[in-house]
Amino acid sequence: MGHTLLTPFMDETGKVVQILAMTKDITELAKKEQELDPVHAVYRSLLKNTADAILIVELDGKVLETNPAFEKLYGFTKEELKKERFPFVPFSLKSEADELIEKAVRKKHISAYETKRRHKNGDWVDVSVTVSPIYGNDGTVIGVSSIIRNISEQKIMNQKLKAGRSRYQSLFEFNPHPIVTLTLRGTITKANPAVLQMLNLKEDELLHSSITKWVHGEEIDHVKQHMRGSISGKKMWFQTRFMARSNERIVNVFLTPILTGQRKDGMYAILEDITEKEAAVKALKQSEAKFKLIADHSQDLISVFSPYGKLMYGSPSHVDFFGFDPTDADVDKIATVVHPKEMGQLAEHFVHCYRGTDPFFMNLRFLNALKEWVWFDVRGIPVLDDQAKVTHIVVVCRDITGQINYEEMLKSYAFYDYLTELPNRRKFEDCLTETLAKSRESHLPFALLYLDGDSFKQINDDLGHDKGDTFLRLIGKRLAQWGDNKSVIARIGGDEFAILLKDLADVKEARNKAEDLLIKLREPYQVGEHTVYSSFSIGVSLYPLDADTKEELFHKSDQALYYGKQQGKDTIFFYQDMK
């Protein structure tokens, strides 16, 4: 391949009489350019499609290149960056930014440096910055590249996780129930004081040992089987015997998987020492007199039934709980104190216990004298004669309301915001998914409102973070009071909230409700001795007018919100208005 230059030679009259042709071989140059074409294509694709922001500058700080993610992160275009040097860097951090560039010029690589930057709209952004030198063909530094990642949500999540761990630690340490945490292989990683007291062991003896080390040898396979069931994602309950210092304890074990997102990281084992209770049941088989003596003084509800379900004995604790003596009541009245959802299952257990001579275990609700449903752990034990026939069924019921409430409390941490007690983002997204499915069938529109506080940072700076938390609680309470049974209100994070307005008649109804909400939020807040005035900006997307997916509804309400903020705070802006 060649490059030819033609030069004409003319006579005195201006007529071309000769042409000089000079040809240069550019084959190698053309090959090099062809080889570089894919490289340039990859470079451009990387700039355009990477989720991280990219900034490339010359040695003097002049901007050479940015990508779309950079503009999305900071709000500044490449043209704006040419007019002002690093406008996204706060004045107080200018020297820090210059130092990062100087290090790169000195051929140093800075990885994942965490700092703060400011968006064009004034919002602070937590970022992780990686800075690297760009080398020329001769090995000298000719520029600096910077890859920036937004870690704001990660910071918020870390703060929430820290707070959640603190609460969990308190619940774990001071819980009266013995609790251990296990790896998926059954190794004990943590034990609360109640476990050490139950087994009469020191912490260093228990930790990092397998739970099966403390189980009776005959029941190790039984325990391993139930642990495998828990790993599959099921809540498991079983009974076994623990051995420590030649001391045998009969224990109910409740296994619940520890989940991080969808990943199973281990198991909680909640233990209930029933050694004394089991000893009492065994004594019942040997002596009716001893049984009655124990039952009459037990706080548990202990009763004896005939094989056909007739109540023959009820401990005095029944009268305290139910407000009447069930031994003097007919079958119909007794049935009224058992929750309807569990009555059929209880009857089936009695039949199987009689026919199969096997004990049964279940949880059910009884109605107490205050007309409240209370959860009980119910165990039915058949009493056999010499011919192995069932003569009686002993039923022991223990109040487990505290345990149920504790489990519900742990569950609520995954779906509710600890500060405002409103649903969190995960719960809100579940509700949004459910609402989308219903609206596709009913063809009824709904609106997604995205709220962002206009002055929360100022309140935090002026009054402190404790007052800031109080302010957020007051906002959550006011939003909850404003909502109705057709709305879902959640805290997304910081001073950001989201609201679903379901089953709307038309767009006008959504506008009216949003305007009413904005007025409500303008009312003053009493934060301790301070009267605080604040406002919110609201972005609204509509289904199905604006979007028909969860992601697009969020995205468009967010676009409307920040578009409205650019027009002026304390506003409502519909995505429809942007179009």
Side-chain angles (χ1 to χ4, degrees), residues 440-479:
R440 285 174 183 138
E441 293 179 0
S442 66
H443 304 292
L444 289 174
F446 67 87
L448 192 159
L449 281 62
Y450 206 94
L451 290 71
D452 184 63
D454 293 327
S455 56
F456 177 66
K457 180 183 181 301
Q458 189 66 41
I459 293 169
N460 261 346
D461 291 345
D462 292 346
L463 304 181
H465 289 281
D466 288 342
K467 291 290 193 297
D469 287 348
T470 302
F471 174 67
L472 287 174
R473 291 190 192 97
L474 292 174
I475 292 172
K477 184 176 180 181
R478 188 172 294 183
L479 287 172

Side-chain angles (χ1 to χ4, degrees), residues 482 484 501 504 508-517:
W482 175 85
D484 55 27
L501 299 179
L504 295 172
K508 183 178 179 181
E509 182 182 358
R511 290 186 183 274
N512 291 339
K513 287 191 173 183
E515 289 171 1
D516 178 66
L517 173 60

Side-chain angles (χ1 to χ4, degrees), residues 228-294:
R228 285 192 292 269
S230 178
I231 293 172
S232 69
K234 301 176 183 177
K235 289 185 178 180
M236 301 296 295
W237 174 91
F238 61 93
Q239 187 179 111
T240 188
R241 289 175 288 168
F242 276 80
M243 304 294 297
R245 306 194 193 285
S246 302
N247 182 27
E248 179 180 302
R249 309 300 298 177
I250 303 173
V251 177
N252 285 332
V253 182
F254 300 86
L255 291 179
T256 302
I258 300 173
L259 301 176
T260 302
Q262 298 298 318
R263 188 179 75 249
K264 301 177 182 68
D265 287 338
M267 292 172 280
Y268 291 113
I270 303 173
L271 313 180
E272 179 189 11
D273 186 353
I274 59 168
T275 307
E276 286 72 21
K277 189 195 309 186
E278 290 298 311
V281 173
K282 184 177 180 180
L284 292 176
K285 298 178 182 179
Q286 300 172 349
S287 171
E288 185 176 352
K290 289 182 180 180
F291 161 74
K292 194 172 184 307
L293 179 64
I294 294 171

